[in-house]
Amino acid sequence: MFPTYANVSERMAAPPALAISTVIFALRPSAVSGRPTLWLPLVKRIREPFEGMWALPGGPMTQAESLQDAAARNLRETTGLAPAYLEQLYAFGGLHRSPSERVVSIVYWALVQPTEAAMAQESANVKWVRADATGPLAFDHNEIVEYALWRLRNKMTYGSIAYHFLGEKFTLAAVREVYEAVLNRSVDPANFRRQLMTAPQIEATDEYLQGGKHRPPRLYRYTGVEAGGPPGFHQLS
Amino acid sequence: MFPTYANVSERMAAPPALAISTVIFALRPSAVSGRPTLWLPLVKRIREPFEGMWALPGGPMTQAESLQDAAARNLRETTGLAPAYLEQLYAFGGLHRSPSERVVSIVYWALVQPTEAAMAQESANVKWVRADATGPLAFDHNEIVEYALWRLRNKMTYGSIAYHFLGEKFTLAAVREVYEAVLNRSVDPANFRRQLMTAPQIEATDEYLQGGKHRPPRLYRYTGVEAGGPPGFHQLS
DNA sequence: CCAAAAGTGTTACCTATACACCCATGA
DNA sequence: TCATGGGTGTATAGGTAACACTTTTGG
């Protein structure tokens, strides 16, 4: 099963195991308040260590994929969705993350647009939970989720990733609800609207969202690109 | 030398090689203008691939060290200096970064305070170059340096890492010169001074820097901590 | 006294924020 | 018509940038 080494020094020089994990965020209306809240999927561990506990989706790194591709595949297999946003979070490599062997995990975080069908794709081994109430997780995954939340909030405050939670067309109120859900505070609708209007990447359509109880709001479109990385580095591999 | 595998599928499942590299920034007065500029150390490759070319300091990952420790050791061995600032940059894992085998590199970036002695620690296999003129490097190291520069500038604009380039006590003009060197533009001394003064982490001493040609400037001290990570995550492993 | 950097004062402008107000629609 | 969210107007405060000005030292 494992490669054998001729002597001790070769064994010491062997690389740690390498794994990929993903923190996948989606926005879903709360059952109680109806307002959107942050959710993420977990998978149940079916072997030791931490057998039976919930953990972030992930798996061992293979030779044939780039890091980004491995993370995207991981996301697809877990949620059935294509990533609207995918970015590297951090490489975790502490000595005692896993009790059995040394594992270095490269963690990605993603935003997906929750289709009704895909969210229902739960099973005995996959469940979605609120991001702020995951319960105890395997390995150091609680820390990882906390850090991912911090990065998400940080990017949200000045950045334009909010749109990746939404579909092609959206109301400005929907964008505001994304902000409120992620930052966990209320935002003045009037000022928020003006801030978005000054951004050249927001384009008004001539459509209105019908079917609401009140005045139909105008729909807008996001025309920016912003891949999951710093500007000028279109595909960091 | 290399472990052998029983069949093809096991070989495919073998992990990629794992390496650590560091981008080490130091500020040194330019030979021509006298103003401080950004420099970094390179090492000459003594084996294939890219034998004879210059590359970032680095080496294979070992079982016994955390990622942070491995990077710190790497830095010490190359510069002889302790890191004033050390933070993970990115994990690079493209399929064709190395022509021979698949390598995933976890790259750290560091700031050091250049002592005269340490900067002189050059040899046939180690040289310091200006960060904006490294020449062609081995592997994808040119991209990595570019990305590290982008992160450095980004953190500098709002953050407090500038002090890690300096000693314990410094003049406000010295801080300004750090900004100007990194951001590559001039900064208004009057406004810059006021911005720093409002920051509570800057503490005035009652000492003045003597020996200059003009009015002796007051010395200040930095009392913040800011480890190399996001707030609340004191030691991401 | 002069040059030059240290350090202070003043003003214009821009943006975040608070909040009053009108508009359009379903019920 | 009323309730409610969509959308506009406006006054205020705080921060940034530009730049004139005073202070203090070495030569």
Side-chain angles (χ1 to χ4, degrees), chain A residues 3 30 172 183 198 207:
Chain A
S30 161
L172 297 187
L183 301 180
T198 62
E207 296 173 62

Side-chain angles (χ1 to χ4, degrees), chain A residues 3 12 14-15 61-67 88 90-95 102 104 106 146-147 150 158 230-231 233 236-237, chain B residues 3 12 14-15 61-67 88 90-95 102 104 106 146-147 150 158 230-231 233 236-237:
Chain A
M12 292 295 288
M61 186 67 205
T62 65
Q63 285 276 0
E65 288 172 309
S66 74
L67 303 179
Q88 193 181 110
Y90 201 77
F92 295 83
L95 289 175
R102 174 80 190 281
V104 172
I106 297 176
E146 236 187 296
Y147 182 40
W150 178 86
Y158 50 105
F233 300 88
L236 276 178
S237 46
Chain B
M12 292 296 287
M61 185 67 205
T62 65
Q63 285 278 359
E65 288 172 309
S66 73
L67 301 179
Q88 194 180 107
Y90 200 79
F92 294 84
L95 290 175
R102 174 80 190 281
V104 171
I106 297 177
E146 236 187 295
Y147 182 40
W150 178 86
Y158 50 104
F233 299 88
L236 275 176
S237 44

Side-chain angles (χ1 to χ4, degrees), chain B residues 149-217:
Chain B
L149 268 172
W150 178 86
R151 266 274 276 276
L152 172 60
R153 294 197 173 108
N154 223 40
K155 276 240 164 184
M156 187 81 70
T157 49
Y158 50 104
S160 41
I161 59 165
Y163 313 105
H164 299 290
F165 274 119
L166 304 168
E168 192 213 340
K169 296 169 187 173
F170 46 80
T171 66
L172 297 187
V175 183
R176 182 168 50 84
E177 282 178 327
V178 174
Y179 270 76
E180 290 179 334
V182 172
L183 300 181
N184 205 29
R185 59 188 176 83
S186 60
V187 175
D188 185 302
N191 296 329
F192 186 79
R193 143 182 300 274
R194 264 184 299 246
Q195 279 188 11
L196 291 196
M197 302 295 274
T198 62
Q201 300 176 326
I202 302 293
E203 185 184 83
T205 72
D206 48 5
E207 297 173 61
Y208 293 81
L209 180 64
Q210 305 293 342
K213 290 178 188 168
H214 305 294
R215 173 174 175 178

